[in-house]
Amino acid sequence: MRLFLSLPLFKKMLIMLMAMMMPISIANAASNPTKLLIFGDSLVAGYGLPQGVAFPDQLQQSFDQDSASIRVINGGISGDTMAGGASRIAWSLADRPDAVVVVLGGNDALRGLSPDNMKIQLDAIISAIQDQGLPLLVAGMYAPANMGAEYGARFEQAFQDAISDAQARIDHSGSGYLDFYPFFLDGVALEPLLNQSDGIHPNEDGVAEIVRRIKPSVQKLIAQLNR
């Protein structure tokens, strides 16, 4: 004997089945959030800021407002240079993030360190992340004007060259994702109302502006995980 369901009854049963599955899906998403590592220096660590308003914290709050299942990991160490980042990237990746944002270079510029060596260290950081098959967003920096135009040009070129080399590896392998956000402090640098008294580190409002500007690039980064 064949059993036939009317179309209205079939739709009702389908809706009931989806409703039963939805809490399970939500629970799974909540217990297994996407882990986003923000790997950087004092601009990530939250130097001079009250607890809970550093860049990773405000980015987390923004994602929470979107009801996005994302856990932002603060991988910032104040004073870190690109070489320092290269020396600790391996153990930072031990947290097994799903995607990474790199925010380094500011201290290299302030100390007038070699852009050529900075490029080598950034290569090492990017390679370590790519070797794990993780999508990556690199946030660049500009050198202060008092370092001179020649140094500033070499500094920016170091980022461009490292990104070009990394993209070439992706093109060769046919897999991977890399994006470049040219200036992490875009819209905030040299704005007195958005910086602390040192004129270097953003205040709470400055961090909020950074989050607002960079978040679309971070969302694009995370979207790669669903492809």
Side-chain angles (χ1 to χ4, degrees):
M1 180 178 66
R2 294 182 179 180
L3 179 63
F4 293 95
L5 295 177
S6 66
L7 185 58
L9 181 58
F10 176 77
K11 288 183 177 180
K12 183 180 293 186
M13 293 178 64
L14 183 60
I15 292 172
M16 291 176 61
L17 180 61
M18 292 175 64
M20 292 171 62
M21 294 177 62
M22 192 173 299
I24 298 175
S25 299
I26 294 173
N28 287 339
S31 61
N32 296 290
T34 296
K35 293 193 291 185
L36 175 65
L37 171 64
I38 312 296
F39 184 76
D41 50 29
S42 57
L43 297 175
V44 173
Y47 175 87
L49 293 172
Q51 187 174 0
V53 297
F55 173 71
D57 298 311
Q58 292 203 42
L59 184 62
Q60 179 72 72
Q61 292 158 16
S62 181
F63 280 126
D64 289 346
Q65 291 173 0
D66 297 339
S67 298
S69 182
I70 297 170
R71 180 164 73 88
V72 181
I73 302 170
N74 189 332
I77 293 182
S78 293
D80 217 359
T81 61
M82 201 70 77
S87 70
R88 67 183 177 90
I89 184 61
W91 61 260
S92 294
L93 293 175
D95 284 331
R96 301 182 66 84
D98 299 297
V100 183
V101 178
V102 173
V103 185
L104 283 168
N107 289 309
D108 296 74
L110 291 173
R111 300 177 190 179
L113 301 181
S114 166
D116 293 337
N117 185 61
M118 186 183 75
K119 189 266 181 183
I120 293 172
Q121 305 302 331
L122 181 54
D123 278 338
I125 293 170
I126 293 175
S127 294
I129 296 169
Q130 288 184 320
D131 287 346
Q132 298 291 324
L134 304 176
L136 166 66
L137 171 64
V138 175
M141 293 296 296
Y142 294 153
N146 63 359
M147 297 303 296
E150 180 182 355
Y151 181 87
R154 290 175 55 217
F155 186 85
E156 292 179 39
Q157 192 62 48
F159 277 98
Q160 295 288 348
D161 290 346
I163 294 300
S164 295
D165 290 350
Q167 186 60 52
R169 290 193 292 270
I170 291 175
D171 294 341
H172 178 73
S173 66
S175 64
Y177 176 83
L178 170 70
D179 196 10
F180 181 50
Y181 186 83
F183 187 36
F184 182 71
L185 297 175
D186 181 44
V188 173
L190 304 180
E191 294 290 341
L193 295 179
L194 297 179
N195 285 279
Q196 299 176 41
S197 58
D198 62 7
I200 297 174
H201 295 91
N203 57 27
E204 183 175 348
D205 290 338
V207 173
E209 180 64 13
I210 294 171
V211 170
R212 186 185 72 81
R213 289 175 178 251
I214 201 174
K215 186 178 176 183
S217 296
V218 178
Q219 289 173 313
K220 184 179 177 183
L221 171 74
I222 293 172
Q224 305 306 308
L225 299 171
N226 298 322
R227 291 192 170 187

